[in-house]
Amino acid sequence: MHNAGMDSTVTSGENRRTGRRFDVCNGDADGLCSVVQWRLHEPSAATLVTGLKREIALLERVPAQAGDEVLVCDLSMDRNRDALMRLLDRGVRVRYFDHHAAGEVPDHPGLQAHIDLASGVCTSMLVDRWLRGRFRAWAVVGAFGDNLRGAAESLAAAIGLNAGERERLRRLGEAMNYNAYGDDESDVHIAPARLYPLLARYRDPLEFVAREPVAHEIDALRCADLARAMEQAPWWQGDTAVVYLLPDAAWSRRVIGSFANELAGAAPGRAHAVAKRCADGTLTVSVRAPIEGAGRRARIVPAIRRRRARTGRRNRPDARGSLRGVRAGIRPDALGYAGAARGPGRHRRGSEVMFFSLEPGSAFAAALASELGVEIAAHEERRFADEECKLRPLVDVGGADAFVVFGLHGGPLDSPHDKLWRLLAFVATLRDHGARRVTAVAPYLAYARKDRRTKPHDPIGLRYVAQLFEAVGTDALIVLEAHNVAAFENAFRIPAISLEAHRAFGPLIAELANGGPLAVASPDPGGVKRAQLWREALEEQRGTPVGFAMVDKRRSAGVMSTRGLVAGDVAGATVLLLDDLIGSGETMRQAALALRGAGAASIVACAGHGLFIEQAAHVLADEAITRLAVTDSVPAFRLPPDAPVRGKLRIASCAPLFAQAIRRLHAAG
């Protein structure tokens, strides 16, 4: 359905018309991704009007007047008809994309409507169709968020996304969609109006996932809420139906619909009702009929709605009495299907977590196990006279969700090659003996720096390591601060997660910053994105501006030089100089000297990994570097115990970051 009353020849980036612009959309994944695509196509300043998932009548909030333009995405025209007609009558030009029931589309010269009610279509796909696929990856996110997995997979295949990339976009879409659920904005992790400007920075949503912590935060919240819901025992269950009662809380207001979907997917032959207590004593109920026979839902929903009406505000706020009504509404005769009964108190749970560490006496593994509240499972490692080795678990891993921790840095006893082999062999052994899923947790990943060819006939070590992990059946990989996040994610066809080291330094910031002006710097052009991400996070946390700078580093024939060039203003500031790792320390030293020359008051050299090779203890003792901060991903065993540089060193624990990622993976199943 296409009403072409509006001129469609606006060129991206040009303001051919005067007047204000308003972007109006649902706050879920489909609505936001639709607007992101359009503004990438036509990057004009516009006022965003959005809300939570259930806030549909948004056009009445738009104060547009004659000469203004309004973009509407993913909002029912039928629900916004009166406000739409008032805008058109005032001389406002409206472009409308939607896939919901619209009723009769007005025939008005100021309206350009793109309405498609076909199944398997969402608004992001309509915008993608209009833009001829220019920003299709965002349409993939919107389609996944709208639960159109088949359509999303087709769009993803059309632009050549691999399995790992599709999985990351699926999780983003579902998390964005989930983020829009709640009774009000206090229930959600980030209001849709605040999420949109973060999304709009990126032409590629994969870069958004790699760079913005909020992408992982909203996914983690969704997984945590679902895990919490799964721990609830049924309030009532019969042969063909089950009822759950959730408390009145922010997490339950978010999860009620998603929990019902999860239950229906796990037991498609049963009916499910998830009820939530409300503050006024009434109940909100989300109902799913058996998937076998979609028409049955039409019989169950009216029954539930009648029961809800009878247990409203005028009746006593007795949740058990109300739920008896809900239970009665889910009748076997109404469903016409005899599902299998569950025993009393039985409900779906995730498989058991098993946590292994292949590094004897590892302080990091012990800290991570403590964060997770689990024991380190027993395993055996035997070395033979010819230096071959054998590893095996000493516990039954059948059906387990196994996580194997092993940092792949060299030393103090073994090379990276030895460690890599042992990790691969142990992962394969767990799979052979029935583990449901095996995740490798490598705080430091060997060969990650060799992610591209720099000379003819060069190897690409990262890709080869990825192929080895995939070959032995690794289901996912978690590392800290990959050298190049985009190259790291593209190398793997399994979920590959790179955690951001700067998040571990949060507790140290007050000590490191000394209360004065602050700036974040990259020691070379390749680390600009990493440093920018930390700067933005600090500005949001502190509520004050944080400076930014980059040092121009060049390397020729193995010789590195900064030439003293600094881009950015660091005069009088404490500079947090961030890199993925510290090797010999020479990069940090030369960058610190350049920043000091540009007027920096002090330099704190920060890195995810402290390898401290060669003469690092001597190089990093240079007075240009005030302090050092690294995580505990690699033990600082190469620094002599009495080295003066140890007086500068602060070590931050990255165990909480890994624990959060592990919980997220486990909760997602």
Side-chain angles (χ1 to χ4, degrees):
M1 188 182 303
H2 180 186
N3 179 338
M6 186 175 175
D7 179 13
S8 61
T9 61
V10 177
T11 303
S12 174
E14 292 187 16
N15 293 330
R16 293 192 177 180
R17 306 184 185 95
T18 59
R20 298 172 298 174
R21 289 178 171 82
F22 296 87
D23 294 338
V24 191
C25 69
N26 195 293
D28 65 0
D30 192 25
L32 293 176
C33 289
S34 299
V35 176
V36 168
Q37 289 180 83
W38 190 263
R39 284 299 159 220
L40 287 171
H41 159 70
E42 188 178 282
S44 303
T47 300
L48 181 70
V49 178
T50 188
L52 299 183
K53 178 75 172 178
R54 298 182 180 93
E55 295 181 83
I56 306 300
L58 295 179
L59 274 186
E60 62 189 20
R61 305 181 188 177
V62 179
Q65 301 295 330
D68 294 342
E69 295 182 6
V70 175
L71 171 70
V72 186
C73 294
D74 201 38
L75 294 172
S76 165
M77 183 178 287
D78 206 36
R79 295 276 300 275
N80 287 276
R81 182 175 303 278
D82 291 345
L84 172 62
M85 295 310 301
R86 286 195 295 271
L87 290 174
L88 293 172
D89 290 344
R90 289 202 294 263
V92 177
R93 306 174 69 86
V94 180
R95 179 180 284 107
Y96 211 119
F97 291 92
D98 191 44
H99 66 112
H100 300 97
E104 183 178 352
V105 177
D107 182 11
H108 193 286
L111 174 66
Q112 184 187 87
H114 307 269
I115 310 294
D116 191 337
L117 308 182
S119 61
V121 173
C122 64
T123 305
S124 292
M125 295 169 65
L126 298 181
V127 176
D128 173 74
R129 186 187 302 169
W130 179 255
L131 299 180
R132 300 186 178 181
R134 288 187 60 198
F135 310 103
R136 181 156 291 168
W138 281 111
V140 173
V141 176
F144 273 128
D146 232 32
N147 202 28
L148 299 177
R149 292 197 178 186
E153 291 286 353
S154 297
L155 290 171
I159 55 177
L161 297 180
N162 62 38
E165 292 167 335
R166 294 198 299 271
E167 174 65 12
R168 289 193 287 278
L169 296 189
R170 179 190 69 79
R171 294 185 71 101
L172 175 60
E174 292 178 357
M176 286 175 58
N177 208 60
Y178 185 79
N179 182 70
Y181 280 97
D183 286 358
D184 55 51
E185 289 188 353
S186 65
D187 288 340
V188 302
H189 178 71
I190 180 171
R194 291 180 55 221
L195 178 60
Y196 170 78
L198 301 178
L199 302 170
R201 297 175 183 174
Y202 300 93
R203 296 174 68 88
D204 184 351
L206 289 170
E207 188 177 0
F208 170 80
V209 172
R211 301 298 181 191
E212 295 290 347
V214 72
H216 305 287
E217 291 166 2
I218 59 177
D219 186 37
L221 182 67
R222 171 178 169 270
C223 294
D225 286 351
L226 283 171
R228 192 169 183 177
M230 291 296 181
E231 293 173 353
Q232 306 297 310
W235 180 86
W236 174 88
Q237 58 185 343
D239 290 345
T240 58
V242 61
V243 178
Y244 285 80
L245 173 62
L246 304 181
D248 182 28
W251 71 268
S252 64
R253 292 191 287 271
R254 293 189 298 263
V255 84
I256 181 170
S258 296
F259 183 36
N261 289 339
E262 290 288 317
L263 294 171
R270 308 179 83 188
H272 299 86
V274 180
K276 179 188 69 65
R277 302 179 192 270
C278 298
D280 60 4
T282 61
L283 295 171
T284 296
V285 186
S286 185
V287 178
R288 301 294 182 272
I291 292 176
E292 290 88 348
R296 293 171 184 150
R297 190 175 191 278
R299 293 197 291 271
I300 189 172
V301 172
I304 293 297
R305 286 175 178 163
R306 287 195 298 273
R307 297 291 174 178
R308 282 176 62 187
R310 295 172 191 170
T311 57
R313 293 187 177 91
R314 289 173 295 180
N315 289 347
R316 60 189 179 123
D318 179 353
R320 292 188 63 84
S322 300
L323 279 171
R324 290 191 186 100
V326 173
R327 181 180 67 190
I330 310 178
R331 302 187 311 274
D333 59 313
L335 301 174
Y337 184 84
R342 292 184 179 183
R346 295 282 301 279
H347 57 284
R348 182 184 174 198
R349 292 183 183 271
S351 59
E352 180 184 1
V353 168
M354 283 198 174
F355 183 83
F356 295 89
S357 171
L358 303 187
E359 183 84 44
S362 168
F364 171 77
L368 180 52
S370 177
E371 283 283 339
L372 292 169
V374 300
E375 298 291 332
I376 298 178
H379 79 284
E380 177 192 45
E381 180 173 341
R382 292 183 60 192
R383 289 180 178 267
F384 300 96
D386 61 354
E387 295 300 315
E388 290 185 3
C389 65
K390 179 186 79 170
L391 299 95
R392 68 184 180 106
L394 296 178
V395 291
D396 181 9
V397 298
D401 191 6
F403 294 84
V404 186
V405 180
F406 204 20
L408 300 181
H409 55 274
L413 301 176
D414 299 302
S415 70
H417 334 301
D418 293 332
K419 290 184 173 182
L420 177 60
W421 157 249
R422 287 156 62 197
L423 178 57
L424 294 170
F426 195 72
V427 167
T429 302
L430 295 181
R431 293 308 302 263
D432 285 348
H433 292 282
R436 181 181 64 83
R437 180 174 65 180
V438 182
T439 300
V441 180
Y444 179 83
L445 180 65
Y447 299 105
R449 284 179 284 178
K450 193 56 182 173
D451 54 26
R452 60 191 177 94
R453 293 188 178 94
T454 55
K455 295 181 180 179
H457 314 302
D458 256 6
I460 306 178
L462 176 60
R463 191 176 75 191
Y464 309 150
V465 168
Q467 291 168 342
L468 288 170
F469 274 109
E470 292 162 2
V472 300
T474 312
D475 293 288
L477 174 67
I478 309 175
V479 306
L480 180 75
E481 202 63 73
H483 180 65
N484 181 321
V485 174
F488 168 75
E489 292 177 340
N490 288 334
F492 287 84
R493 293 176 295 175
I494 59 173
I497 301 165
S498 175
L499 305 177
E500 296 155 347
H502 74 77
R503 296 171 58 197
F505 297 135
L508 299 179
I509 290 300
E511 175 189 354
L512 300 176
N514 293 324
L518 198 61
V520 179
S522 171
D524 55 48
V528 165
K529 286 288 186 181
R530 179 183 297 113
Q532 284 178 332
L533 184 63
W534 194 10
R535 175 205 181 192
E536 292 166 3
L538 287 171
E539 285 187 328
E540 184 172 347
Q541 293 163 11
R542 294 162 58 89
T544 57
V546 175
F548 179 77
M550 179 200 76
V551 179
D552 182 28
K553 183 183 81 171
R554 302 295 175 90
R555 191 182 296 275
S556 178
V559 178
M560 188 266 292
S561 171
T562 65
R563 300 191 298 173
L565 297 179
V566 174
D569 183 10
V570 296
T574 295
V575 179
L576 304 176
L577 181 60
L578 180 64
D579 209 351
D580 61 318
L581 61 84
I582 296 176
S584 69
E586 193 60 34
T587 293
M588 286 295 199
R589 188 182 75 86
Q590 293 205 27
L593 288 169
L595 291 164
R596 288 282 196 176
S602 62
I603 308 294
V604 182
C606 307
H609 313 288
L611 301 183
F612 303 127
I613 60 177
E614 299 172 351
Q615 299 298 312
H618 172 71
V619 171
L620 295 169
D622 195 298
E623 292 180 356
I625 298 174
T626 311
R627 290 186 181 180
L628 287 170
V630 297
T631 76
D632 55 355
S633 65
V634 179
F637 60 89
R638 292 191 179 95
L639 289 180
D642 57 348
V645 73
R646 281 192 175 271
K648 298 181 178 182
L649 182 62
R650 300 293 183 272
I651 297 178
S653 174
C654 58
L657 304 184
F658 280 91
Q660 183 184 50
I662 288 171
R663 291 191 194 99
R664 198 162 56 226
L665 274 179
H666 178 64

